[in-house]
Each structure stands twice: as structure tokens, then as C-alpha cells.
Amino acid sequence: MTLPSYVVRVAGDPADREACFAVRKEVFVVEQGVPEDLEYDEFDAGALHVLAVREDGVALGTGRLLYGAAAAGRTGGDLSVGALGRLAVRKEARGSGVGVALVRGIEGAARELGLGAVDLHAQTAAAGFYERLGYVGYGGEFFEAGIAHLGMRRLF
């Protein structure tokens, strides 16, 4: 699939953040049936959000990085590990490399923050995607928002 050119950038202003939330709503709330009150949480305000946007301004995907104390609960208290989450790509952009570009953008931001690894909770159906990007699963399957997940981590 070929898309018009796009860029991946840190969501730097309120309009970018709203675009991130709109993509998450479309993918998680509408498509996957995640309750809206679970999709948006107290970590959104302090998270680093990344946005993939076409040259015409249409948002294609998003993801977020938690770090420091916000990530500590997901990383066993290890402040050198960030938590990648809420990775969402609009249906029209899936299979085009946008998801990979978002993950790599989040990893780049994590490195700039001095982190040595990124942890994530992958939907079990997406675990292969993350494995191809160097993530390794740990622990058993668990459920979040009624969807099966697997813990995964990538060291830098």
C-alpha cells in the first residue's frame, strides 16, 4: 500500500494532541469497543504523544510514551524503562509502515530522554508485529479492557 508522504513528530501543540485522541477514539473506542472512560487516563496529560500526519494534515496514527514515575508502575519501578502505549493506526494506513514509523519515533524519543528500554502491553494479536521490531515477550497472557495482551520489552 502506498500512502501520500507523511511525517512522524512529537505532538507539540493542543491541535496535535487532539488529533492523537481522535485517532485513538476511532481505533480503540469505535473499532475495538474499548470503553471511552478506559481509553483516556490520568497519564495522558504528562505523556509524550507521537503523531503520524500526512502532508495534507490528515492524522494517520499515534502512540504515547510514559516515562519516569508515570512508567514505573508498568516497568517494575525501573526508571530507565519507558512504557510505549496507545499505538493506533487508522484503518486506511495499516500495512503501509506507519505503525513501524510510530514505534521507531517513540523509541527515538525514549533514547533522547536517556531511557535504556521500552516496555509495552501488546494486544496478543499484534505480538508478531512487535517481535519483528525486536520486542521480546515476557510473562503470561493477561486482559486489559477485555482484550488479551502480552508484556513485551525492547532494550536499546
Side-chain angles (χ1 to χ4, degrees):
M1 169 191 293
T2 303
L3 284 175
S5 65
Y6 63 92
V7 296
V8 173
R9 64 178 186 240
V10 171
D13 62 35
D16 278 353
R17 289 173 73 88
E18 286 304 314
C20 292
F21 296 148
V23 170
R24 285 171 47 185
K25 183 172 185 171
E26 180 180 326
V27 172
F28 295 124
V29 177
V30 175
E31 282 183 41
Q32 297 183 0
V34 172
E36 201 161 357
D37 62 326
L38 293 180
E39 175 52 31
Y40 307 104
D41 61 25
E42 68 275 13
F43 299 113
D44 278 326
L48 183 145
H49 297 269
V50 175
L51 178 67
V53 62
R54 277 191 331 215
E55 59 192 13
D56 63 2
V58 172
L60 299 173
T62 188
R64 77 176 186 188
L65 175 69
L66 303 180
Y67 56 95
R74 300 212 24 195
T75 64
D78 188 342
L79 298 179
S80 71
V81 179
L84 184 158
R86 304 304 202 269
L87 187 75
V89 176
R90 294 179 68 207
K91 210 178 271 189
E92 71 187 56
R94 292 180 196 149
S96 68
V98 170
V100 172
L102 285 163
V103 170
R104 295 304 189 218
I106 291 167
E107 291 171 346
R111 282 189 199 93
E112 286 181 20
L113 290 166
L115 302 177
V118 171
D119 193 79
L120 58 86
H121 293 172
Q123 291 185 9
T124 302
F129 167 78
Y130 291 107
E131 286 171 348
R132 288 188 296 277
L133 298 178
Y135 287 80
V136 176
Y138 62 86
E141 188 175 73
F142 58 93
F143 286 82
E144 288 182 341
I147 300 169
H149 283 73
L150 177 66
M152 303 186 85
R153 182 172 285 184
R154 179 166 185 249
L155 303 174
F156 302 137

